């Protein structure tokens, strides 16, 4: 039967369905646009795959016209492209772990967990401090999939920026956003300025998510009050601090060949594009002088240095006289030279030794600095010959200013300390460690010191100092009021720590001869656990005589001053994720950093820094920046340089690399645009 206008009822129904579908599409598009305006968007619609319209009634089913199918496909491609970009942004900049074909429920669940909620597999959602009732478990969620359940806010809601002070009411624009998404986002603070939107870029650091859920009630909306991120300090216009990136441990293999030069050049080019100042690389004694005394192979390092020169970057090199492998962060194994290991099998006292007689082959004992036990040479002579060979081999790089600094290894991990907390010997954080003075050469030195003091019976190490994994209060030596502060304790610790200072004094004297006119660097370990106790037990076993009533770093700084050497502090960072571990160990990394900085700056020597463990989040970078450029220093002093540990595929990933680029700009004193 024909109708006015010449259309049939079936055609009219088709048109009505088409208009409804277009309206739905428009609504979805408006939702996605609003979602993007609010902070990146969090919704993905499932694709409509059907190519036909099912008409119930009149007993029929008919195919959609061909042009309508094409229009539907175009709309669907547009929706898919938008949602793909939204999800890609969440994964890249927000570090959300969303599956390949994530839907709205996946995104809402991720948001709920971000805000501290628990989301069960069936969709049941409740605050983490409460638990679902038995009737809730296994019961489908009654709320709309666009709504996240929230707890009832307190009667009096604190005034939040972006909210009216009365009752936590939300503006009409924000109400519109709530209706669209079922999520209301609190303002976030960057550099003292607030912007509105979900903080997707901060997903790398989960401790500072400012996402709040919202649920519409009859008369008002109630908002969860979550802590806001402390506004970041603005480093624009602050002093320029150079940033170097340390290369991977295995960039040079045991045959002294450069591993994957093309891949390395590609990565270094990318680092160059964000204006890093240079790279740092270990020159391993165990590779270069591996097979015979005074037979040096620098081939792989020459190829590496040429790449650095081509890219017009600076180069810092480390004279690594220690073993690589077995410590936290080591992913390759580079032992000491084979000929040194052969000597050690016949004379194990060339290595540091603990109370149980366990040898530590990480590095040579400082007791043989002047002992001719290395094929007729002393340890000092071996170190000097190695450094002199390097200086001669790469003379052109020194003359051209490519090599800007040389760090000289002074102990395990290249740090000035004893290997008191060796994982190989069973140490686990936060154990106090053990004294490492039981080889025959150090025992002989202790005996001479005791006799010179007039108390020969002091020629022994403490017998009540516990073991690697003891706690200070579990030992009679390190407990409050323990023997560490008695007459014998002060004598022993003074001797033990002074040996370390004397060792560095001798090695750095030779380094100044070998590298005259070049910046020399000495690395100090940041042993921060048990720093809040009276004895500072972990520092004492590592060789830093730094109890609460004595400054153990002043003598080290004074020695470095005599040689005009830069102090490089290997420091740990306290993030919210680490609070529990630091609290348990009564650690204070910030306090230790302040003490070392003051000791160095009091004698006017430069201070550089390197992070102990890899970091990728903004909170850790902010800690580094605060230490690099102290806000409260009356003289405006700052670090001379910073070395990032270390180049890796994880660092080069999108979100991580963006944060690192931002960090470099702030270290350089540039203004940054918050993402």
């Amino acid at each position: 039967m024909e109708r006015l206008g010449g259309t049939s009822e079936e055609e009219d129904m088709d048109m009505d369905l088409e208009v409804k579908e277009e309206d739905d599409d428009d609504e979805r598009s408006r939702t996605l646009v609003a979602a993007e305006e609010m902070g990146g968007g969090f919704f993905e619609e499932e694709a409509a795959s059907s190519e036909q319209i099912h008409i119930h009634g009149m007993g029929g089913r008919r195919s959609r016209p061909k042009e309508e199918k094409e229009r539907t496909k175009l709309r669907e491609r547009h929706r898919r492209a938008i949602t793909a970009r939204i999800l890609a942004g969440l994964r890249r900049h927000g570090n959300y772990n969303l599956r390949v074909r994530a839907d709205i429920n996946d995104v809402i669940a991720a948001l709920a967990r971000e805000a501290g909620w628990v989301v069960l597999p069936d969709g049941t959602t409740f605050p983490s401090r409460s638990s679902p009732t038995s009737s809730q478990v296994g019961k489908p969620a009654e709320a709309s999939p666009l709504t996240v359940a929230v707890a009832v806010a307190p009667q009096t809601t604190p005034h939040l920026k972006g909210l009216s002070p009365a009752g936590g009411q939300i503006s009409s624009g924000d109400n519109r956003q709530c209706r669209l998404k079922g999520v209301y986002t609190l303002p976030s603070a960057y550099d003292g300025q607030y912007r509105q939107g979900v903080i997707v870029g901060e997903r790398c650091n989960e401790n500072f998510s400012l996402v709040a859920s919202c649920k519409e009630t009859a008369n008002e909306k109630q908002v969860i009050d979550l802590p806001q991120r402390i506004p970041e300090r603005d480093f624009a216009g602050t002093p320029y601090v150079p940033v170097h990136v340390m290369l991977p441990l295995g960039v040079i293999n045991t045959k002294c060949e450069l591993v994957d030069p093309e891949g390395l050049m590609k990565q270094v080019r990318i680092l160059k594009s964000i204006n890093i100042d240079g790279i740092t690389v270990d020159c391993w004694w165990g590779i270069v002088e591996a097979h015979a005394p005074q037979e040096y192979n620098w081939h792989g390092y020459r190829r590496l240095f040429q790449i650095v020169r081509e890219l017009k970057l600076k180069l810092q090199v480390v004279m690594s006289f220690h073993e690589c492998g077995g410590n936290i962060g080591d992913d390759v194994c580079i032992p000491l030279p084979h000929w040194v290991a052969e000597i050690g099998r016949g004379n194990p006292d060339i290595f540091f030794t603990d109370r149980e007689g366990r040898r530590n082959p990480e590095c040579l004992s400082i007791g043989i600095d002047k002992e001719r036990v290395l094929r007729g040479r002393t340890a000092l002579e071996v170190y000097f010959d190695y450094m002199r060979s390097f200086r001669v081999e790469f003379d052109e790089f020194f003359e051209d200013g490519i090599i800007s600094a040389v760090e000289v290894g002074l102990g395990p991990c290249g740090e000035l300390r004893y290997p008191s907390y060796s994982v190989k010997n069973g140490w686990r954080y936060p154990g106090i460690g053990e004294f490492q003075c039981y080889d025959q050469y150090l025992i002989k030195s202790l005996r001479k010191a005791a006799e010179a003091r007039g108390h020969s019976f002091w020629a022994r190490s403490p017998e009540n100092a516990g073991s690697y994994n003891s706690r200070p209060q579990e030992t009679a030596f390190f407990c409050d009021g323990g023997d560490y502060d008695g007459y014998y304790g002060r004598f022993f610790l003074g001797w033990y720590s002074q040996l370390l200072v004397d060792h560095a004094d001798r090695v750095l004297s030779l380094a100044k001869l070998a590298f005259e006119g070049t910046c020399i660097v000495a690395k100090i370990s940041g042993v921060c656990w048990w720093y809040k106790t009276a004895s500072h037990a972990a520092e004492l076993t590592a060789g830093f005589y730094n109890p609460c009533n004595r400054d153990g770093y002043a003598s080290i700084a004074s020695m470095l001053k005599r040689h005009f050497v830069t102090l490089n502090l290997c420091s740990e960072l306290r993030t919210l994720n680490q609070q529990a571990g630091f609290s348990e160990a009564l650690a204070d990394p910030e306090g230790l950093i302040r003490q070392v900085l003051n000791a160095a700056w009091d004698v006017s020597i430069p201070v550089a820094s390197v992070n102990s463990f890899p970091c990728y989040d903004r909170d850790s970078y902010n800690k580094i920046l605060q230490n690099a450029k102290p806000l409260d220093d009356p003289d405006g002093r700052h670090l001379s340089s910073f070395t990032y540990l270390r180049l890796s595929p994880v660092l080069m990933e999108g979100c991580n690399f963006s944060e690192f680029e931002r960090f470099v700009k702030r270290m350089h004193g540039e203004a940054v645009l918050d993402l």
Side-chain angles (χ1 to χ4, degrees):
M1 179 178 178
E2 293 293 325
R3 300 182 60 197
L4 292 177
T7 59
S8 67
E9 290 185 3
E10 290 183 358
E11 290 174 341
D12 197 24
M13 292 173 67
D14 280 345
M15 292 176 65
D16 290 340
L17 289 170
E18 177 184 338
V19 170
K20 185 178 185 302
E21 184 177 88
E22 289 179 353
D23 290 341
D24 291 341
D25 292 340
D26 291 339
E27 181 62 21
R28 293 189 188 99
S29 299
R30 287 193 297 271
T31 301
L32 287 170
V33 170
E36 289 185 291
E37 292 174 351
M38 289 181 69
F42 294 98
F43 297 97
E44 178 183 13
E45 297 290 344
E46 287 294 323
S49 60
S50 173
E51 297 293 341
Q52 295 181 336
I53 297 179
H54 299 272
I55 302 178
H56 300 281
M58 300 190 67
R61 169 180 174 179
R62 62 178 295 156
S63 299
R64 179 179 298 174
K66 183 177 180 180
E67 57 270 24
E68 273 309 305
K69 295 180 181 179
E70 294 301 323
R71 290 179 60 187
T72 300
K73 289 180 180 179
L74 288 175
R75 287 194 298 267
E76 197 54 52
R77 291 194 191 102
H78 182 63
R79 281 199 298 266
R80 285 179 180 274
I82 292 175
T83 54
R85 286 195 293 269
I86 291 173
L87 292 175
L90 287 174
R91 294 187 184 100
R92 178 179 179 183
H93 301 295
N95 202 26
Y96 279 83
N97 185 20
L98 299 174
R99 59 192 178 92
V100 176
R101 295 188 60 80
D103 59 20
I104 184 176
N105 295 323
D106 296 318
V107 179
I108 289 294
L111 275 175
R113 295 187 182 98
E114 180 91 22
W117 293 69
V118 176
V119 181
L120 299 181
D122 67 350
T124 302
T125 306
F126 55 89
S128 59
R129 288 174 294 180
S130 63
S131 59
T133 62
S134 58
S135 61
Q136 288 177 312
V137 178
K139 180 180 179 180
E142 298 178 357
S144 164
L146 292 180
T147 304
V148 179
V150 294
V152 176
Q155 291 289 334
T156 303
T157 304
H159 173 54
L160 299 175
K161 191 174 182 67
L163 301 180
S164 64
Q169 297 296 318
I170 305 172
S171 66
S172 60
D174 293 330
N175 279 322
R176 176 182 60 82
Q177 293 174 346
C178 261
R179 284 197 298 271
L180 287 174
K181 297 181 64 176
V183 175
Y184 176 72
T185 56
L186 293 179
S188 63
Y190 291 145
D191 293 320
Q193 297 178 351
Y194 290 85
R195 67 173 177 83
Q196 202 159 353
V198 179
I199 306 176
V200 294
E202 291 304 306
R203 185 61 167 80
C204 298
N205 180 13
E206 298 182 356
N207 302 293
F208 292 98
S209 301
L210 301 181
V211 180
S213 300
C214 150
K215 184 178 180 181
E216 207 167 333
T217 61
N219 299 316
E220 65 176 2
K221 297 183 183 298
Q222 299 185 1
V223 179
I224 296 177
D225 181 21
L226 294 178
Q228 296 186 358
R229 170 189 278 277
I230 299 174
E232 289 184 324
R233 177 181 158 198
D234 184 7
F235 287 92
T238 56
Y240 186 102
V241 175
V243 177
H244 295 75
V245 176
M246 180 166 280
L247 294 183
L249 292 169
V251 67
I252 303 292
N253 64 22
T254 54
K255 297 180 181 179
C256 204
E257 299 170 337
L258 179 60
V259 177
D260 189 18
E262 291 78 13
L264 178 65
M265 176 171 281
K266 180 180 178 181
Q267 288 184 315
V268 177
R269 281 187 188 278
I270 296 174
L271 292 173
K272 170 72 173 179
S273 71
I274 64 171
N275 297 321
I276 68 162
D277 298 272
I279 65 169
T280 304
V281 62
D282 291 281
C283 294
W284 295 102
W285 180 34
I287 291 177
V288 176
E289 197 181 359
H291 303 294
Q294 296 181 283
E295 291 185 8
Y296 307 103
N297 176 11
W298 299 103
H299 176 73
Y301 289 103
R302 175 167 289 278
R303 178 72 186 97
L304 172 61
F305 294 178
Q306 288 170 348
I307 291 176
V308 177
R309 178 163 56 187
E310 291 172 12
L311 296 176
K312 294 181 172 57
L313 288 170
K314 296 295 183 181
L315 181 65
Q316 292 184 342
V317 295
V318 182
M319 300 288 101
S320 298
F321 296 114
H322 60 282
E323 174 188 74
C324 177
N327 283 313
I328 298 173
D330 291 351
D331 54 7
V332 299
C333 181
I334 304 173
L336 296 185
H338 301 311
W339 60 272
V340 173
E342 183 180 346
I343 295 173
R345 283 190 286 271
N347 180 14
D349 285 295
I350 67 172
F351 302 124
F352 284 108
T353 308
D354 65 16
R355 186 179 57 177
E356 301 297 325
R358 288 170 290 202
R359 315 291 181 169
N360 191 320
E362 285 187 69
C363 58
L364 297 177
S365 168
I366 60 179
I368 64 168
D369 277 359
K370 299 180 180 180
E371 301 289 338
R372 295 192 176 277
V373 293
L374 301 175
R375 303 281 178 88
R377 292 187 295 168
T378 66
L380 291 176
E381 290 171 340
V382 169
Y383 302 147
F384 179 70
D385 290 343
Y386 183 85
M387 292 187 287
R388 181 172 56 184
S389 172
F390 178 84
R391 179 62 179 82
V392 172
E393 179 71 23
F394 298 107
D395 179 70
E396 60 191 284
F397 294 92
F398 281 95
E399 295 300 322
D400 294 341
I402 303 299
I403 298 178
S404 60
V406 178
E407 181 179 300
V408 181
L410 298 171
C413 298
E415 300 165 347
L416 178 61
R417 65 173 175 86
Y418 291 92
S420 58
Y421 48 95
S422 171
V423 174
K424 288 183 177 180
N425 286 346
W427 174 84
R428 296 293 181 270
Y429 179 86
I432 59 176
E434 287 192 15
F435 293 113
Q436 305 289 312
C437 56
Y438 293 88
D439 63 77
Q440 62 169 314
Y441 304 104
L442 291 184
I443 291 176
K444 178 181 177 181
S445 173
L446 178 58
R447 184 180 303 114
K448 291 175 62 176
E451 291 173 353
R453 180 67 184 271
H455 303 292
S456 57
F457 57 93
W458 281 355
R460 56 179 176 81
S461 299
E463 299 175 353
N464 55 356
S467 59
Y468 284 106
N469 296 312
S470 297
R471 308 297 174 95
Q473 297 304 320
E474 298 171 352
T475 71
F477 191 82
F478 295 115
C479 67
D480 293 348
D483 292 345
Y484 78 91
D485 202 29
Y487 291 110
Y488 160 73
R490 291 196 294 271
F491 159 76
F492 173 80
L493 293 171
W495 165 81
Y496 188 72
S497 60
Q498 189 61 43
L499 280 183
L500 208 59
V501 175
D502 293 343
H503 167 72
D505 190 15
R506 293 188 290 263
V507 174
L508 293 174
S509 296
L510 298 176
K512 292 297 291 185
L513 289 176
F515 304 116
E516 185 177 1
T518 303
C519 175
I520 305 297
V521 181
K523 185 163 69 170
I524 306 298
S525 177
V527 183
C528 64
W529 54 102
W530 306 119
Y531 188 86
K532 292 183 177 180
T533 62
S535 63
H536 292 221
E539 290 172 89
L540 297 186
T541 58
F544 304 116
Y545 191 7
N546 190 52
C548 63
N549 57 357
R550 187 180 188 277
D551 187 351
Y553 299 97
S555 59
I556 295 175
S558 297
M559 178 271 300
L560 298 179
K561 171 69 173 180
R562 291 197 298 271
H563 303 292
F564 304 100
V565 170
T566 297
L567 187 154
N568 186 17
L569 177 61
C570 185
S571 58
E572 292 190 33
L573 306 169
R574 182 203 299 266
T575 62
L576 291 184
N577 288 332
Q578 298 168 318
Q579 290 283 7
F582 279 123
S583 298
E584 176 193 5
L586 296 177
D588 186 8
E590 289 90 349
L592 175 62
I593 291 171
R594 286 194 298 270
Q595 182 182 358
V596 175
L597 288 177
N598 288 333
W601 285 339
D602 283 348
V603 295
S604 301
I605 61 173
V607 182
S609 183
V610 57
N611 50 302
S612 299
F613 303 106
C615 57
Y616 309 105
D617 61 277
R618 189 170 296 186
D619 184 46
S620 296
Y621 288 136
N622 285 339
K623 290 291 184 183
I624 296 173
L625 284 158
Q626 292 167 13
N627 295 330
K629 305 175 183 183
L631 179 63
D632 57 353
D633 188 88
D635 301 313
R637 295 173 295 192
H638 55 85
L639 294 183
S640 61
S641 68
F642 175 79
T643 299
Y644 177 83
L645 181 78
R646 68 181 68 241
L647 176 62
S648 68
V650 179
L651 175 65
M652 306 304 285
E653 292 176 356
C655 176
N656 294 337
F657 191 74
S658 297
E659 283 294 331
F660 182 66
E661 179 181 8
R662 183 180 187 273
F663 164 72
V664 172
K665 288 182 179 179
R666 301 181 83 199
M667 288 291 278
H668 288 170
E670 300 177 20
V672 297
L673 178 64
D674 289 317
L675 301 176

